[in-house]
Structure formats: C-alpha cells, structure tokens
Amino acid sequence: MQRIDARGVFEGEFSLPGDKSITHRAIILNGGADGEATITNALMGEDCVSTCRCMRALGAKIDVDGTTLRVKGTPHFRRGTKLNCGNSGTTIRLLTGFVAGKQIDAELYGDESLSLRPMKRVAEPLSKLGANITTTEGHAPVLISPQPLKGADVTLQISSAQVKSAVLLAGISAEGETSVTEPVKSRDHTERMLSAMGADLQVNGNRVTVKHSDLRAVDVCVPSDVSSAAYFMALGALKGKTLCKNVGINVTRTGILKAFDRLGVQYQLLNRRISGGEETADILVEKSAMHAISLQAEDVPSMIDELPLVALLCAFAEGESRIIGAKELRVKESDRIKTTVELINNIGGDCEELPDGFVIRGRKKLRGGNVDSYLDHRIAMTAAVGLIATENGGNLARPECCAISFPDFFDKLDIRLY
Ligand code: S3P
C-alpha cells in the first residue's frame, strides 16, 4: 500500500519518458531491417524491454545505453524460439504479424494478464494472408508455423493499431499487395515508420496498403509519450499549472486534447515542431473549471489509453458525463470499464458502469479513499492523480506496475515508494 497525499496545488515542468508505441516499432522494424540504427529517448519500461528481449531472441543485436538503443537488424531469424512478451499486448500482437512474415516457427507467450487478452483478432486477419497461427482457445500462447504469405485485403471490425500493425508487418513480407481497413483511424506510427524505412505504402483515409518491401534501418528520435504526459496534464487542469516538454502530438494520439476542449480545460501547445517524422510540442495546462462531456465510438481510438483518466476528470467536472462506444477497454491490462468505475467510486465519486463505457456524475470535491491498481499501469497512474486531487488522499495498493510504461512516474510526482 502506497500512501498518496492530497495536494492543494500541483505545479511544475516535466520531461516525460519516450513514447511506448514508437519505441516498440523502432525496435521491431529496425530489428528486421538492413543496417544499423540509433534510437534516442527510447522508453525502457517493462513492455519495451519485453520487445527487446524477443527481438534479441530472434537474432537482432540490441545494445542499450540508458535511453539510447543501437539496433542491428538480422537477415536470418532464429527458428523455434519461445518469445516471452511479458505483460505487453503490443509486443505479442506486432510480433505475431512480424514472425508470421518471416517463415519461421515460434511460440509467443506472456504473463497471466497477457494470457487473458484476445489473440484471435490478430490470428484471423493474418490467416487471410495464409499464415499458420494457432492460439490457445483464442489466447496466448500463440504458435506460428512457417508458411509463405500472399497479400490480402483485410477489413477490421474494431479499430486497433496493434492488429493493423500486425497485418502490415506480415504484409511487407507477403507476395503482392496487402490492405487493411479499420472503422476509425487508429494510431499510425507503423505506417509512418515503414514509409521512412523505404516500404512501398499508401494511406487512403482509413485504408492502408503495403507491397512486399525490404526495409532499411532508420534512426528514430522518440518524442515523449502523450499517454504518460496525460497524467501531468490532468494534474495541471485539476490543481495548478503544468508544462510537459517535447510531447508527441500526432493527431491519432491526441484525443485527450479533444476531451480537454470539450471539458473546458485551458491548455496551450507551445514550440510546435517536427521531430523524427512526428509532430511534437510543449503542452501547458492550467487549472480549469470543467463541465460534463459526451464521448462516443468515433472519439475512442485517439484516446483509448487515456479514457480512465478522462473519466476521472469527468468525476471532477460539473454535470453528468457519458462515455460510450468504448467496449475495447474491457480487454486491456484490466477490464478498464470495471476498474475505472471502482476507482472513481472508491475515492468518493459517482460513476456507473455501462456495457461499453460509463456515466459519471461530477462533484466539486471527492473525499479520497483506498484503491487498487489491479496490476494495470494506467489504472495505477490514474488512481495516483485522482488521490492527489481529492480532499484527504488515500492509499494505492500495488503501485509498482507503473514501470510497464513509466518507470519513474512516482519520482516525478515526488513520491518515494516504500
Ligand atoms: C497500441 C495500441 C492500442 C493501445 C496500446 C498500444 C499500439 O491498443 O491501447 O496501449 O502501440 O499499437 P489497440 O490497438 O489494441 O487498441
């Protein structure tokens, strides 16, 4: 149990860790490319460490020096490896597509939580390309047998960057052309990086087409992760003023700013620039009186990981907020609809569970209380922000899981874990 005290004011300037999605992709794509690349400001959270471990097992050479990685791709992928993906959904899903394209056999597995997450959503579209993938009743462990792939046209029922990326990573090794279409555009880091590495790729609205391509290594300068910055941005909105530096503001990721606009949160994007093919900015957020909002399915993909935090902000906003079309939250590191509802209610808020979202009745003040992380990093960090903003603070059980995406989260909050 970690004590988290309430604070009257929260102010400061923050440098946040590198973007998790971009770091995963930079490691995997360079690990299979021709040449050697340097990745700077990489996130070395547990999920990306899992990706490094798997890519090394497959034959890539990766040297780590703090947050700088040197990756040398391998043309010969090791056969018969067992790839431990830890807790990381992005690792297992992207690598399922990647490995399927390399015509090798492999077994991908992970921890208890990862083993509960759906894998058919990746196996099925990949089987359209001819991949031979067996799941364990729809879950990990996932077994891949070598099979030459042929391009196919895949339509996803659910928007998912992980599934889209798995198809694209298989598609670059398949014969001919592969297309993937999703209902709402999800994060597009894979598309951007593949293009930068010389892939023959076209984007047309929500449809991406890729042809068989050889990739050349590219250096990647990773921007700070807007999903990690979001906690400090929320603290600015609730309790004072925060400046988050050099944050990636790719439009497929910044639904949180759309939520801020609707909530009435005062923020500014300063020093906007392009860095490594991604737009970045310093984000200044100031304490704001917030009012209730409505979000629906089309809003969800660009703020999928921030929705627990947005729901928390709604708990402090005036009026009744409604978030729907977010059923995907049920299959994240925890059932984030259930765990968010419990978190908000345990600190004195009023949040009701819907099959695909929440209704949140806002209150000016929440008393605080005892909460659990459910071993879900995003719930742990949302809980810490929530407790700081309450009247009495409280205790957070099992806070260490933040290390999945944000190893020094509590240091940045000036909280020493005991
Ligand atoms: C991610 C995509 C999202 C997100 C996850 C990271 C990625 O998952 O929730 O944290 O890097 O592609 P889905 O694609 O399953 O929505």
Side-chain angles (χ1 to χ4, degrees), residues 246-317:
N246 190 36
V247 181
I249 54 162
N250 177 322
V251 72
T252 61
R253 294 289 301 283
T254 44
I256 181 79
L257 297 178
K258 204 195 271 180
F260 275 9
D261 289 332
R262 296 190 194 169
L263 282 158
V265 173
Q266 304 292 315
Y267 69 90
Q268 289 177 58
L269 300 182
L270 307 170
N271 197 14
R272 286 174 84 148
R273 61 212 178 271
I274 302 285
S275 162
E278 295 274 354
E279 196 179 0
T280 65
D282 302 336
I283 307 180
L284 179 70
V285 184
E286 292 181 72
K287 186 171 164 144
S288 310
M290 294 180 286
H291 44 258
I293 57 169
S294 279
L295 296 172
Q296 43 219 2
E298 74 219 37
D299 302 313
V300 165
S302 65
M303 58 177 104
I304 182 73
D305 292 336
E306 290 68 69
L307 280 172
L309 184 68
V310 171
L312 176 81
L313 288 176
C314 292
F316 289 94

Side-chain angles (χ1 to χ4, degrees), residues 20-21 25 90 93 160-162 187 304-305 332:
K20 182 155 85 74
S21 294
R25 286 156 173 82
T90 309
R93 294 200 176 112
S160 163
Q162 293 179 352
R187 65 193 68 189
I304 182 73
D305 292 336
K332 296 295 180 187

Side-chain angles (χ1 to χ4, degrees), residues 227 231 234-235 238 305-313 316 336 339-340 343-344 347 371 376-389 396 402 409:
S227 298
Y231 303 103
L235 280 166
L238 289 164
D305 292 336
E306 290 68 69
L307 280 172
L309 184 68
V310 171
L312 176 81
L313 288 176
F316 289 94
R336 286 186 184 158
T339 52
T340 300
L343 155 59
I344 291 174
I347 62 173
V371 292
D376 179 337
H377 56 130
R378 304 240 176 256
I379 296 298
M381 294 187 276
T382 302
V385 170
L387 287 173
I388 288 173
L396 168 61
C402 295
F409 174 73

